Amino acid sequence: MDSQPSHQASQPPHPPHSPHTFQVDLRGLVDLLSHHLYSSPKVYLRELLQNAVDAVTARRAAEPDAPARIRLYAADGGLRVEDTGVGLTEPDVHSLLATIGRSSKRAEGLAEARSEFLGQFGIGLLACFLVAERIRVVSRSARTPGAPPVEWTARDDGSYTVRTLPAAERPEPGTTVYLTARAGAAEWLAPDRVRALARDFGSLLPYDVRVGDEPVTELPAPWDRAHPGPAGRRVALARHCRELFGFTPLDSIDLDVPLAGIRGVAYVLPSAVSPAQRATHRVHLKGMLLTERAEQLLPDWAFFVRCVLDTDSLRPTASRESLYEDETLAAVRDALGERIRSWLTGLAAGDPERLSAFLAVHHLGVKSLARHDREMLRTMLPWLPFETTDGQLSLEEFARRHPVVHFTRSVEEYRQVAPIASAQGVGVVNGGYTYDSELVEALPRVRPGTVVAELDADTVTAHLDAVDPGEELALSGFLAAAQARLDPLGCDVVLRAFHPLSVPALHLDDRAARHEQARAEAEERADDLWAGILGSLRGSAPRARLVLNHLNPLVRRIGALRDPELIGTATESLYGQALLMAQRPLRPADSALLNRAFIGLLAWATHGEGDGR
């Protein structure tokens, strides 16, 4: 058996399978483009303009003095686009127009001009089927002067025909594209619509583009035009912003990055916007509008500007309606962020009035930047506004007034201590707003020697005056009854003398006290196992405190009460009022206490009314 050859070894090798070619359903491909690649059928006109501009660019690479004209004529439900570009021969037509996915920019002889072309993908005329049922192209090559004109006609069912024409049909090199509208799409080929789209897409193109006899291009770009002076330029750019974005900017910032081939302007919004709102910008690629909704162009902190710019370096996505996220875009984003940062530092150095107007609206964006940029924090320190017990001040001014810069991490903490701290001469910064606590903590890095400390209940209590020991001893019974009533709430009662006199009681706690309070409440609700675990986590943090103001007349009257029940009701009322003054969210137990205290006081006030007393 071992000597017999195997059956497999005796079989001849299988012949290789013949390759097959993908079949493309053009109707399905057009549907894919219209519903998934492009945001709107309007891009058909951009593709036509792009092909015409690329053809002119290719011809001028070989003939610098060649004419550079592009004309669009819309009438009778159709559109005609003429250019004086490089044109096509019959082999070019078969190879380039009728092969989906191949770009004319890859044609032999055009590679050396590749960087000057707008397009990067071979979609080309296919996008015109979004609005047209038939496309007819008549072209004559400038690279092969003896070649006759050629006509290519395609329908949206995927069929096309090619034929040569007499020389008289097109005596000069160039290309003419004819579109016939498909059913329901005639509005896209209407003269007014074509004119508006051509202006939108082509206003910065470098060639003579017209719709009929009406010019489309408006060169030089608004940011490159000459003006009598800085004020005149500012007015002109403000007018451009109103026309483009619909608002009058607070200011304009030049965006000139020669190494990245970028020229443009950033307009500062006149009203505050949320940092979470994604800013969108207008980006032109070599003069052609690429997108009105570029989101990744600037750093996240620069949400207070809207940009319009022209670039020759950024890479578009396949739809050419957004930017491709790559190293080039990241470098451009950093460079544009640096331009905006330089504008801010320039205002701080030379135009404080305009800087103050800007910060009144957009201080949040600058604070976001200053968190990570020490130089920006140093520059903006005298200007950024913060809520403090001394009013709206910069950190620089506040630090000059107070040897220790106290701050709170929440708005609620600030509200509960601000009136008392101010009366006692303790300076406090409200760090509860976005970025503020981070900036206060960063203060010593740019202002050496500054002492920064988070405000806690012990600090506030230490600044309040102690009550005479004899007077406090006389009130020991009252304080014991008050403590007994608030003990279940995890709150201690303390007697101090402080200003203003109108504040009867102050509720003080800190994050550690609130954490311990939450742990204790969870322990009460838990089963035996979890109660034991939570009990083992019991901390040594101080509890919340109700600080009674011995200088307040109401507290003095309550302190003279002898009825323990009435003392408890009055204490609960002071506790609830202190919570409300601090604008702190109420727990269910706090809400129940407020209701109980109100009913108790009402019952006490009406006691004996039914007896006629």
Side-chain angles (χ1 to χ4, degrees):
M1 183 171 67
D2 294 340
S3 63
Q4 295 180 355
S6 69
H7 177 71
Q8 279 189 326
S10 65
Q11 297 298 315
H14 292 289
H17 292 291
S18 299
H20 297 281
T21 302
F22 281 105
Q23 301 298 312
V24 177
D25 179 357
L26 189 57
R27 289 186 188 274
L29 187 55
V30 169
D31 182 71
L32 178 68
L33 290 175
S34 61
H35 289 94
H36 300 286
L37 184 62
Y38 295 123
S39 62
S40 165
K42 70 180 182 180
V43 297
Y44 87 91
L45 193 67
R46 184 194 63 201
E47 295 291 342
L48 288 174
L49 283 176
Q50 178 176 288
N51 287 339
V53 169
D54 285 346
V56 171
T57 301
R59 184 176 180 185
R60 283 206 154 189
E63 305 175 48
D65 296 329
R69 296 189 306 272
I70 300 171
R71 298 290 184 268
L72 296 88
Y73 303 95
D76 303 323
L79 176 65
R80 183 171 90 253
V81 180
E82 299 178 354
D83 69 65
T84 57
V86 68
L88 300 170
T89 62
E90 183 173 349
D92 291 336
V93 166
H94 285 289
S95 175
L96 303 175
L97 295 187
T99 304
I100 296 171
R102 179 178 298 173
S103 171
S104 62
K105 273 67 75 177
R106 299 189 180 95
E108 182 181 356
L110 301 185
E112 67 275 8
R114 178 66 180 266
S115 64
E116 298 301 320
F117 291 115
L118 300 175
Q120 293 290 327
F121 307 93
I123 301 299
L125 288 175
L126 192 62
C128 292
F129 281 121
L130 298 174
V131 299
E133 66 176 9
R134 184 165 66 100
I135 303 172
R136 178 173 171 252
V137 177
V138 177
S139 187
R140 183 164 188 168
S141 175
R143 289 186 290 121
T144 311
V150 62
E151 177 192 71
W152 177 82
T153 304
R155 296 185 176 276
D156 61 0
D157 61 2
S159 63
Y160 73 92
T161 59
V162 179
R163 66 188 181 104
T164 57
L165 301 176
E169 288 283 336
R170 186 172 183 95
E172 299 296 329
T175 300
T176 303
V177 179
Y178 303 85
L179 299 187
T180 302
R182 65 191 304 167
E187 62 172 305
W188 293 104
L189 303 184
D192 289 344
R193 178 63 67 90
V194 169
R195 189 178 300 108
L197 291 178
R199 285 174 177 168
D200 201 33
F201 285 118
S203 62
L204 300 184
L205 289 174
Y207 303 133
D208 179 14
V209 182
R210 297 171 184 258
V211 176
D213 296 326
E214 187 173 335
V216 166
T217 52
E218 299 177 2
L219 296 178
W223 47 86
D224 287 329
R225 294 172 191 168
H227 299 282
R233 185 173 189 273
R234 192 176 298 123
V235 170
L237 289 178
R239 185 184 311 115
H240 175 247
C241 181
R242 283 195 302 272
E243 294 171 355
L244 200 62
F245 293 118
F247 64 85
T248 300
L250 284 177
D251 205 350
S252 56
I253 308 168
D254 285 324
L255 301 177
D256 185 6
V257 187
L259 292 179
I262 285 178
R263 287 282 295 156
V265 62
Y267 293 115
V268 181
L269 291 167
S271 56
V273 293
S274 167
Q277 179 179 329
R278 297 302 298 268
T280 56
H281 313 284
R282 285 178 65 96
V283 177
H284 295 255
L285 180 61
K286 302 181 181 72
M288 181 76 74
L289 178 65
L290 179 71
T291 178
E292 299 172 284
R293 298 185 299 274
E295 294 185 348
Q296 322 101 305
L297 192 63
L298 296 181
D300 290 340
W301 56 261
F303 55 81
F304 49 82
V305 298
R306 295 292 180 271
C307 296
V308 53
L309 56 81
D310 188 27
T311 176
D312 59 15
S313 64
L314 296 179
R315 179 183 171 191
T317 59
S319 66
R320 290 195 285 277
E321 293 186 303
S322 59
L323 298 172
Y324 189 82
E325 185 67 51
D326 57 11
E327 292 182 358
T328 301
L329 180 57
V332 165
R333 184 162 47 236
D334 291 342
L336 294 180
E338 182 58 37
R339 293 296 183 274
I340 297 173
R341 183 187 289 107
S342 298
W343 169 77
L344 283 170
T345 55
L347 287 187
D351 200 338
E353 185 175 337
R354 271 204 297 162
L355 178 62
S356 296
F358 166 76
L359 289 177
V361 179
H362 295 299
H363 59 275
L364 199 59
V366 180
K367 286 181 177 180
S368 174
L369 171 60
R371 288 183 305 155
H372 308 294
D373 190 315
R374 180 176 298 186
E375 285 306 311
M376 181 56 62
L377 178 58
R378 190 189 309 277
T379 301
M380 292 291 109
L381 201 58
W383 306 100
L384 287 172
F386 288 80
E387 183 180 357
T388 77
T389 49
D390 293 352
Q392 287 286 118
L393 289 179
S394 69
L395 289 181
E396 176 72 26
E397 175 64 23
F398 189 80
R400 283 200 296 265
R401 296 185 182 187
H402 300 276
V404 178
V405 177
H406 292 287
F407 73 98
T408 63
R409 292 192 182 275
S410 71
V411 175
E412 291 79 7
E413 290 178 43
Y414 176 80
R415 287 172 178 166
Q416 72 179 354
V417 302
I420 310 305
S422 178
Q424 310 306 311
V426 179
V428 184
V429 179
N430 184 355
Y433 296 117
T434 306
Y435 311 134
D436 283 10
S437 61
E438 296 175 70
L439 292 175
V440 175
E441 289 181 298
L443 188 56
R445 298 206 305 265
V446 296
R447 198 178 188 276
T450 303
V451 179
V452 172
E454 183 176 355
L455 190 69
D456 56 24
D458 286 335
T459 303
V460 177
T461 306
H463 281 81
L464 304 181
D465 295 334
V467 177
D468 180 85
E471 294 186 33
E472 187 167 7
L473 183 60
L475 293 172
S476 59
F478 161 75
L479 293 175
Q483 179 64 60
R485 183 58 65 96
L486 295 187
D487 197 59
L489 296 173
C491 182
D492 293 329
V493 178
V494 179
L495 186 66
R496 291 290 186 273
F498 56 87
H499 292 272
L501 302 181
S502 57
V503 177
L506 177 66
H507 181 270
L508 294 178
D509 64 359
D510 52 29
R511 286 181 299 165
R514 289 194 293 275
H515 177 76
E516 173 62 19
Q517 189 177 63
R519 186 210 58 78
E521 291 175 354
E523 182 181 355
E524 290 180 2
R525 295 191 301 267
D527 56 28
D528 292 341
L529 173 62
W530 282 107
I533 295 174
L534 291 170
S536 68
L537 299 176
R538 183 179 295 111
S540 59
R543 305 201 304 173
R545 301 173 194 177
L546 180 68
V547 184
L548 302 178
N549 187 359
H550 187 55
L551 301 180
N552 180 267
L554 176 61
V555 172
R556 285 181 174 272
R557 288 197 298 269
I558 294 175
L561 296 174
R562 293 293 177 264
D563 183 351
E565 186 63 29
L566 188 53
I567 290 175
T569 300
T571 302
E572 288 180 337
S573 300
L574 291 174
Y575 174 84
Q577 190 262 355
L579 285 179
L580 295 175
M581 288 294 292
Q583 301 184 37
R584 182 173 298 283
L586 300 179
R587 301 170 297 161
D590 297 329
S591 298
L593 175 144
L594 279 171
N595 184 62
R596 184 171 65 247
F598 174 76
I599 296 298
L601 288 177
L602 192 61
W604 177 80
T606 58
H607 179 70
E609 288 292 331
D611 301 332
R613 287 182 287 178

